[in-house]
Amino acid sequence: LAKTTQPISMDSYEGQEVNITCSHNNIATNDYITWYQQFPSQGPRFIIQGYKTKVTNEVASLFIPADRKSSTLSLPRVSLSDTAVYYCLVGASTGGGNKLTFGTGTQLKVEL
Amino acid sequence: GAVVSQHPSWVICKSGTSVKIECRSLDFQATTMFWYRQFPKQSLMLMATSNEGSKATYEQGVEKDKFLINHASLTLSTLTVTSAHPEDSSFYICSAFTSAKNNEQFFGPGTRLTVL
């Protein structure tokens, strides 16, 4: 499984856009990129998934350059409730029936 | 989305006792369930993969005789921590997979185990 590297922590203020970048230099051709959010003492929650270019849903956007060696999770106008740990994962198919390997994650702290 | 529940949400037990944690997929059938462990301020670590009707596959370093996994039906997997010790205190999280829902893994809310 491809190893991922993310910043350990990030700070932001309410209303700002937050971009969290993940490096995955050894991503394989059939690997997808998936981001999860985890609040303290809760299970991870799926945010977004993509293979290439840009993916957008109701909560976030995912930008993937052509070489796919990195990806950026973009959270528009964050609020205090977005304070959480964000994990970037890469793996075959959509990670459904396959093992997920969680990296260190990025602790996002949003302040007023 | 799909809902995965865990029971209990927290448990405190004495050293040497066994504790069973249940993971249920409430509105879908899960062919595969995964069990993770998470220590404070650390990431999730996969312990084992559980397939309905077959033996679980354990990750390297996870003692299969200590962490017993049973996946008796398509909606229920159980993790039993046998002869628990204080170092087994952790947050245990399960996830369930179904190809019927975009091949996504759905995570349970976790179970906090404290061994005294």
Side-chain angles (χ1 to χ4, degrees):
Chain A
L1 296 173
K3 181 179 178 180
T4 60
T5 303
Q6 306 173 231
I8 296 296
S9 64
M10 294 183 69
D11 294 328
S12 184
Y13 294 96
E14 275 202 319
Q16 291 190 332
E17 178 184 79
V18 171
N19 296 306
I20 306 174
T21 297
C22 177
S23 296
H24 29 78
N25 293 317
N26 297 321
I27 189 169
T29 303
N30 59 346
D31 282 344
Y32 280 73
I33 300 157
T34 311
W35 286 80
Y36 283 85
Q37 175 193 57
Q38 186 183 26
F39 297 111
S41 296
Q42 294 187 26
R45 183 177 73 99
F46 173 90
I47 301 176
I48 197 166
Q49 178 183 258
Y51 183 80
K52 61 179 179 180
T53 62
K54 176 184 175 181
V55 180
T56 297
N57 62 21
E58 62 274 10
V59 298
S61 294
L62 179 59
F63 299 92
I64 306 169
D67 66 5
R68 302 201 328 122
K69 294 183 182 300
S70 67
S71 59
T72 299
L73 173 70
S74 180
L75 304 173
R77 300 183 59 78
V78 294
S79 63
L80 293 175
S81 62
D82 292 317
T83 294
V85 178
Y86 292 82
Y87 293 98
C88 162
L89 293 83
V90 294
S93 76
T94 62
N98 300 305
K99 297 191 295 184
L100 294 179
T101 300
F102 285 80
T104 56
T106 298
Q107 171 67 64
L108 172 64
K109 182 179 180 182
V110 180
E111 299 174 292
L112 289 173
Chain B
V3 181
V4 176
S5 70
Q6 285 185 237
H7 178 79
S9 56
W10 59 269
V11 56
I12 301 173
C13 69
K14 293 182 178 180
S15 185
T17 61
S18 294
V19 174
K20 179 184 286 187
I21 302 171
E22 293 185 348
C23 176
R24 292 181 185 272
S25 54
L26 298 185
D27 54 356
F28 67 98
Q29 293 183 327
T31 53
T32 304
M33 289 184 173
F34 300 89
W35 286 95
Y36 297 82
R37 179 167 53 180
Q38 186 175 33
F39 293 107
K41 303 293 185 182
Q42 294 188 24
S43 184
L44 284 79
M45 292 183 60
L46 179 66
M47 299 176 67
T49 302
S50 172
N51 292 296
E52 186 268 338
S54 63
K55 291 184 178 180
T57 302
Y58 291 81
E59 294 299 300
Q60 190 173 11
V62 178
E63 300 176 58
K64 62 179 181 180
D65 294 330
K66 181 171 182 62
F67 299 99
L68 302 179
I69 292 173
N70 186 295
H71 194 158
S73 75
L74 288 172
T75 60
L76 173 65
S77 176
T78 60
L79 167 68
T80 302
V81 183
T82 63
S83 187
H85 289 93
E87 57 265 30
D88 298 323
S89 298
S90 188
F91 192 54
Y92 291 86
I93 307 170
C94 72
S95 70
F97 158 74
T98 173
S99 58
K101 292 185 181 290
N102 298 320
N103 282 327
E104 185 178 329
Q105 277 192 38
F106 299 93
F107 286 83
T111 296
R112 175 75 59 191
L113 171 63
T114 302
V115 184
L116 302 177

